[in-house]
C-alpha cells in the first residue's frame, strides 16, 4: 500500500536504513548507482534534508530594489515571497496563508502588506499578521505570522535557503563580496535571461557543469573562445604548462591592478566558496564569438583587460564576470528527473540599451547550455537502463568525484531523516 | 517496493493504524493536515470507503426519460450505466462486461438490451445476462449479470451511490420532494450546463462551497445580488438583524403561500438534508444581474415572489430553485487533487426557448463558480507546501468546521478498510 | 514511504510472497484478476523476470544488411543497439556508455565503431572499449565493454531477448526456417509499416490476438476474407466440418508441392513454436479485399496457390506469409497499461515498386489491428473498475486460457524475483 503521510515513522526508519546501506556501498571515484539519479523516494529525502540545507541563487538585487517591492520565486517545490520591508531589509516567506493555506501572492508587486485573496487575511512585510476578521477571541494572532526562509544579500546577489547554515552564507559573502563589487555586480541590471528545462536529475546537471572532460567532444564554440580549455580539459601537457605561464604573465602585466582577485582559487579549486581571475586568452576582450566587447565596461575596470572572474560556491551558486557583462547560473531541482537551469546576463544598470548587443552577449552560454541540456538528457536516459552500472571518473573529472563524495557524506550525516 | 494489489492485507493493516493516528491528532476547529488534501493513498481509502458510502447527484430525470433509454455517468472513477428498464424503473450498473471486463457502452442510447462490442455478450436492462455464445455448460449464467450500484429518483433528481445507506436517500427524499415538486423540478429540462475542472482535493471544493467568509473578498457579483450575504458573511451586526427581520416579513407577506418550505432550515442549517426558502432581497425577482426574470415561471408559483429555495444534502447534493429556473451542482472527486464541478441550469420543460435568456440565467453562478475554481486551486497549491500547517476556522466557517468533524468521524468508523 | 531502490531485499521478499498468494488463487479457465492487467508493481516484476526471458521479434534482416550497419530498437524499456560487426555477425548491446551511463547512439548508422557523444569513449562493434582518454592507469579497460543482450537471426528474422533461453531461439529456428525460406522471407524488404499504440496491458493485447471469438462481432472485413473463420470462430458445426474437408482437399490438390509446411500445426496449435499452411478460401489468391494479388510472387512459389502460412511462437512472435507478401507482428510492452503493436508488410526485395499495391496490401491488417486497438482499450478501461471480476473463457478462447495458464506457471517458477 502506498504511504499515507510523508513523515510516517516506521517507513522513515526503513528508508533511513536502506539509504545507509546504499550510501555505504558506493565506490569512491565512480559515478553513483542508478537510484541516486532516478528514485523519487531519494529525491524527496534530498528535498526535505540535504537540498533544504543548501543555499541557492534566487535573484539579483535589481529585481527587488526598493522597500515595499516583493517578488515570487520557486525553491525546491516551494513558492516563496522575497520582500523588502519598510526598513529595506530583505525577507523571505513561504507563500502560504496561515488561515487555510492558500497561496497569497500570484505575481510580483509593491505594497506595504500582503493580503490573501481568499479570506482577506493580511500580513505586514515583516511577516506578522495584521488583520483577520471573525476570528475567535481564543486565537493568539501573534502565532499566525508567515513562516520564513533564510535569505541574504551579498554583492548584488540574493541567496536563500530553506534551512541552510547561515555560516555558509557568511563564507560565500566573504569570498564573493570584494570581487562582485569590483565588477559592479551590485549596480547591474538583467539584460537577458534564458531557461533550459532539463529532463535529468539535478546531480547530473551539476556534474556536467563542473567538469570540462566533455568540452572537446561536445562544446566546439566554448573551446574556440576559452584558451584555458587546453589546460583543464587535457592531461598535463605542454599546452597546459604554456597556458599556466601565459596566464601568470597576464595577471602580472595586463590584468586590471584594481582587482582584488588572484588566480589561486581557479587553479586549486578546492575551496567550496571561491573567486578567482584568469585571462580568456587568444586576444579576446570578452566571451564573445570574435572577442570584441558586447557592452560598456562594468565596475571599477578602466580599460578592457580580457579577464574572466569566476565566483563558485558549490554546489549551486556560480557567476562569471567578464569586463562588460556578468553571467549568473541558477539551478533548480524540480523532481527526481527534472531540473531547470536559468542563465541571466547582467550589464551595468546605467548602460545605454543601444550599447548592449544582447545577441552577441548571450551567444556563448546560450549555445553551450543548450548543448549541455542535450548531453544531460542523454545521460539521464542511459542511466534509467537496467544495464547501467557506475563507471570510473577520469582524471579530468576530479570535481564531480569530489562533489559526489561530499554529497554522500552530507546525506549520510543527515541519515535520510526529513529536516 | 510498490504494492502489487490494492487490497493486500498487511499493507491495509499498516495503513489503517497510520490513518487512525492521523485522525486522532486533528485539532477540532482547525483545518486538516496536508495529507487529507494531497495524499493519493488517503484518496484511495476514501474512494473505496467513505466516498463510496456517499450519495451523489447523477442526473436530472429529463436526461433519461423513457423505458429503454440509458446514459453513462462517471462516479468515483467508475463508468456507470443508468438505464430505465421495461417497467420504467431506474437501474444503475457498472459498465463492465462479466466475460472479460470490457466496457459495454461507449455512449448514451436507447435499446431493450446492452450488447458488449467485444464478444457480443448481451444483457437485459434489469442487468441479467441474455445471451453469450460458446459458453461451457458448467457455467451458471444466472451468476453473470451486470453488477449494480444504488440509484434513486426523487423530485426529478437521479441520485446514486456505490454502497451508500438507502436510509440516507430516503431522508433526502423526505426533505426534498415537496419543495422540488412545488418548484416544478420533476418537469424541468436542462437549459445549460457548464463544467469547472478544478485542481484541488474534493474537500477543498466542498469547504469552499459551504462557507461565505470568502464572499466579500472574492465574489463581488454574488454579494451584489444576494442581500443576505450581509447576514451570513459578517458577524452578528445591525445588518444581520435587519436582514432577519425583513426576510421574516417577506415570508409572512410576499412569499408564495403555496410553498411547503420555511426559512427554518436556512437559519439553523444543522440538518444534513434540508430545504428552505428566503428572499433574494433588494427587489430582485430572480438571481440575475438586474433582478428581472430570465425564464417563464416554474412549478406552482403564480407570480414572481423573489424567493430562493435551497436544497442541501451534505456533502455532495445541492440545488437552488428560483422562481424561473433552478441550478443544480454536481461535485465529482476524480483524484487526490482533482475534482470536477458541473453546474446545470433547469427551466420548465414547456418553456419556449425564445423566453429563456441563457446568458443572463447562467451569469451569476458561472462567474461565481469560475472565481471559486481559482480560489480552490490557489488553496490547493499552498497546501502542498512543507510550510502548510492547519489554521483556525473563523466564526463564519462553522459549516466547514462541522463538515470536517463529520468527515473524520465517518472515516474513523470506517477504519480505513476498503468497502 | 516509497521504495528507494527497486531491488531492496525486504520489499522484494514481501512482494514475492504476495505474488505467490495472488497466483495461487487464480481460477483456471477464467480471466486474470485486475492487478495482472493494471499493477505497475507486477509489470515491473514481469519486466525484470518473465518478460526479460521472452524472445521478441526485433527487426527484419533487410534493416541491418551489411557489416558496420547498426540500428536502434526499444526492448522492455531499454534502448538496444543491433550491430553487424566486421565479420557480419549480429550483435546486440544496451545503448549505455560504461563511463557515466550516457546513451551512445541517437539514430541508426554505419561505422566501424560507436562513440559516445558525451566524453568520446569509443567502442568496437564487438562491444569492447577501444578508446577512453585520461583514465586512471588502475582501471582495467577490458572490463568496460558494452553490456550485451541475446540476439539471433533465422530465416530473415532478427529476434532478441534480455535473458531468454537460447534453446527457445533454436526451437523457433527449427520450426520457422524451412517455411520462411520457402516464402522468400530472408530476401524480402519492408514495403510498409504501421504502429498501433494501445492503452492496455500487453496480456490483453496478446489474448486478443490469439482468439477469434471476437471476430464475428468485431471484424467484418476479416470474416469476409478468411473463410476459415467459420471453423475457428464457431462451435463445431457443419460449416466447420465442411471447411476442414475443403482445406484438406486444397492441400492435396492445389497447394504448392514445394512447400515444407502442412496443416497440422494450424489444426492442433499446441506447439509453442509452429508453422503451418491452409487455404484462404473463397477463391482468394491473397489476403486482399477482392482476393487478387497485390505484389509479385515471393520465394519458391511458381504460381499463386491461395495459401496462407502462419508462423507462431507464443507469446510474442507471429508472421503470416501469403503468396505475394508477408506480414510481421511486433508487440512491445511499454508499461503496465501501455503496449505498442507494429505491423510490417514484406515483399520480395527485387519486386518492382510499381508492382506493389501498398494500399491494397495493408488494407486487411490495418483495419483489423485498428479495430483490435479499440477493443483492447475498452477491455482495459473496464478492468480498471472495482466491479471487475474474472470471467469464464468460452470454448472458443482455449488459446488465451492456455496462454494465461502458462504465464502464471512461468511467473510462479520465477517466484517474482528480479532476473
Amino acid at each position: 500500500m502506498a504511504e499515507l503521510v510523508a513523515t510516517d515513522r516506521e517507513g522513515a526508519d526503513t528508508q533511513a536504513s536502506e539509504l545507509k546501506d546504499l550510501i555505504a556501498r558506493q565506490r569512491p571515484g565512480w559515478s553513483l548507482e542508478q537510484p541516486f539519479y532516478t528514485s523519487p523516494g531519494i529525491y524527496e529525502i534530498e528535498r526535505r534534508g540535504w537540498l533544504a540545507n543548501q543555499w541557492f541563487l534566487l535573484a539579483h538585487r535589481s529585481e527587488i530594489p526598493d522597500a515595499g517591492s516583493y517578488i515570487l520565486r520557486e525553491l525546491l517545490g516551494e513558492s516563496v515571497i522575497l520582500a523588502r520591508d519598510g526598513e529595506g531589509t530583505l525577507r523571505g516567506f513561504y507563500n502560504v496563508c496561515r488561515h487555510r493555506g492558500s497561496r497569497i501572492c500570484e505575481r510580483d508587486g509593491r505594497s506595504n502588506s500582503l493580503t490573501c485573496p481568499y479570506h482577506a487575511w493580511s500580513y505586514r512585510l515583516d511577516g506578522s499578521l495584521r488583520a483577520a476578521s471573525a476570528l475567535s477571541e481564543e486565537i493568539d494572532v501573534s502565532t499566525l505570522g508567515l513562516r520564513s526562509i533564510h535569505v541574504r544579500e551579498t554583492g548584488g546577489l540574493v541567496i536563500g535557503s530553506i534551512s541552510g547554515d547561515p555560516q555558509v552564507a557568511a563564507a560565500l559573502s566573504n569570498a564573493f563580496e570584494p570581487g562582485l563589487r569590483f565588477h559592479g555586480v551590485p549596480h547591474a541590471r538583467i539584460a537577458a535571461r534564458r531557461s533550459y528545462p532539463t529532463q535529468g536529475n539535478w546531480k547530473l546537471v551539476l556534474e556536467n557543469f563542473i567538469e570540462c572532460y566533455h568540452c572537446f567532444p561536445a562544446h566546439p564554440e566554448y573551446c574556440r573562445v576559452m584558451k584555458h580549455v587546453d589546460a583543464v580539459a587535457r592531461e598535463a601537457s605542454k599546452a597546459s604548462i604554456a597556458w599556466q605561464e601565459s596566464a601568470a604573465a597576464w595577471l602580472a602585466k595586463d590584468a586590471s591592478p584594481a582587482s582584488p582577485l588572484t588566480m589561486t582559487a581557479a587553479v586549486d579549486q578546492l575551496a567550496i566558496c571561491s573567486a578567482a581571475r584568469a585571462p580568456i586568452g587568444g586576444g579576446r576582450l570578452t566571451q564573445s564569438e570574435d572577442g570584441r566587447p558586447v557592452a560598456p565596461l562594468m565596475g571599477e575596470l578602466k580599460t578592457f583587460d580580457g579577464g574572466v572572474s569566476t565566483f563558485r560556491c558549490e554546489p549551486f551558486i556560480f557567476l562569471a564576470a567578464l569586463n562588460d557583462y556578468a553571467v549568473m547560473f541558477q539551478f533548480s531541482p524540480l523532481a527526481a528527473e527534472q531540473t531547470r537551469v536559468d542563465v541571466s546576463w547582467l550589464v551595468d544598470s546605467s548602460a545605454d540599451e543601444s550599447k548592449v548587443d544582447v545577441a552577441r552577449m548571450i551567444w556563448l552560454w546560450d549555445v553551450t547550455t543548450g548543448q549541455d541540456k542535450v548531453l544531460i538528457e542523454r545521460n539521464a536516459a542511459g542511466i534509467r537502463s537496467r544495464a547501467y552500472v557506475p563507471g570510473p571518473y577520469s582524471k579530468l573529472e576530479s570535481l564531480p568525484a569530489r562533489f559526489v563524495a561530499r554529497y554522500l557524506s552530507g546525506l549520510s550525516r543527515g541519515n535520510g531523516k526529513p529536516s
Side-chain angles (χ1 to χ4, degrees), chain A:
Chain A
M1 310 291 282
E3 77 277 24
L4 301 183
V5 193
T7 52
D8 110 68
R9 170 66 42 201
E10 193 184 349
D13 289 347
T14 309
Q15 271 200 342
S17 133
E18 198 187 325
L19 184 60
K20 197 178 158 194
D21 292 350
L22 184 61
I23 292 171
R25 73 171 186 247
Q26 300 308 299
R27 189 173 169 185
W30 291 61
S31 63
L32 295 169
E33 284 185 50
Q34 185 188 61
F36 288 106
Y37 297 120
T38 61
S39 160
I42 290 185
Y43 178 73
E44 191 55 24
I45 288 174
E46 292 173 342
R47 198 178 74 87
R48 295 184 167 270
W50 196 91
L51 283 171
N53 290 331
Q54 306 305 314
W55 288 83
F56 290 83
L57 192 41
L58 295 181
H60 182 262
R61 66 161 292 144
S62 63
E63 298 179 86
I64 179 170
D66 313 317
S69 59
Y70 60 87
I71 59 176
L72 299 182
R73 289 293 181 269
E74 289 279 329
L75 175 59
L76 299 178
E78 302 292 340
S79 171
V80 299
I81 304 168
L82 302 177
R84 206 175 284 282
D85 70 16
E87 280 72 47
T89 306
L90 198 69
R91 306 278 192 160
F93 304 111
Y94 290 95
N95 188 6
V96 179
C97 185
R98 291 299 304 276
H99 173 221
R100 299 258 301 274
S102 177
R103 288 266 175 96
I104 297 164
C105 302
E106 289 288 303
R107 57 189 64 81
D108 302 348
R110 180 181 302 270
S111 173
N112 61 1
S113 68
L114 303 169
T115 301
C116 180
Y118 202 166
H119 302 91
W121 283 33
S122 154
Y123 302 87
R124 296 180 195 90
L125 291 191
D126 65 4
S128 61
L129 182 61
R130 193 176 71 168
S133 70
L135 270 194
S136 159
E137 291 69 21
E138 293 155 28
I139 303 295
D140 177 1
V141 296
S142 74
T143 65
L144 293 174
L146 294 179
R147 299 186 68 184
S148 60
I149 65 158
H150 299 299
V151 290
R152 179 165 183 146
E153 266 188 288
T154 185
L157 304 185
V158 175
I159 63 174
S161 176
I162 299 288
S163 53
D165 185 347
Q167 293 194 322
V168 171
L172 177 144
S173 190
N174 287 341
F176 280 25
E177 183 95 20
L180 291 174
R181 292 205 172 280
F182 167 71
H183 279 289
V185 173
H187 308 293
R189 64 174 167 85
I190 294 176
R193 173 171 281 165
R194 294 288 184 280
S195 257
Y196 307 84
T198 304
Q199 297 301 315
N201 184 270
W202 61 271
K203 291 184 286 294
L204 294 180
V205 174
L206 293 188
E207 292 184 64
N208 168 278
F209 193 76
I210 61 179
E211 55 91 352
C212 210
Y213 185 34
H214 71 281
C215 290
F216 278 114
H219 295 315
E221 295 82 1
Y222 185 76
C223 291
R224 204 156 75 228
V225 169
M226 297 301 290
K227 284 290 164 197
H228 84 277
V229 171
D230 259 340
V232 299
R234 295 201 200 266
E235 293 183 80
S237 66
K238 278 190 207 166
S240 168
I241 295 163
W243 164 255
Q244 295 292 347
E245 290 172 356
S246 80
W250 171 84
L251 201 65
K253 200 177 67 171
D254 302 321
S256 164
S259 167
L261 303 175
T262 69
M263 279 180 63
T264 314
V267 171
D268 85 22
Q269 282 178 322
L270 279 172
I272 291 301
C273 294
S274 68
R277 290 209 90 200
I280 299 169
R284 276 188 170 74
L285 301 181
T286 193
Q287 281 183 345
S288 65
E289 188 158 18
D290 60 8
R292 289 185 299 112
V294 297
L297 275 175
M298 287 178 79
E300 300 173 24
L301 281 158
K302 303 304 176 200
T303 57
F304 278 85
D305 71 359
V308 51
S309 299
T310 311
F311 300 83
R312 316 167 60 98
C313 191
E314 276 189 32
F316 287 107
I317 301 179
F318 298 91
L319 181 143
L322 290 310
N323 289 182
D324 48 354
Y325 71 93
V327 56
M328 177 169 112
F329 299 88
Q330 292 171 280
F331 303 95
S332 305
L334 300 178
E337 303 201 58
Q338 216 183 329
T339 307
R340 198 181 67 239
V341 178
D342 292 292
V343 183
S344 302
W345 289 263
L346 305 168
V347 298
D348 190 82
S349 62
S350 66
D352 191 332
E353 283 207 23
S354 68
K355 298 277 173 57
V356 178
D357 189 334
V358 170
R360 289 178 56 236
M361 179 173 62
I362 73 170
W363 166 76
L364 180 64
W365 282 107
D366 181 47
V367 68
T368 301
T369 311
Q371 289 160 347
D372 280 334
K373 168 186 160 71
V374 173
L375 295 172
I376 294 160
E377 291 182 344
R378 277 176 176 157
N379 195 1
I383 285 176
R384 273 173 222 130
S385 168
R386 73 184 85 198
Y388 168 73
V389 288
Y393 289 115
S394 71
K395 295 176 191 167
L396 296 176
E397 294 169 295
S398 56
L399 292 189
R402 189 187 72 186
F403 158 70
V404 157
R406 281 187 173 149
Y407 160 80
L408 288 174
S409 156
L411 201 63
S412 175
R413 281 198 305 277
N415 207 14
K417 292 281 174 55
S419 63

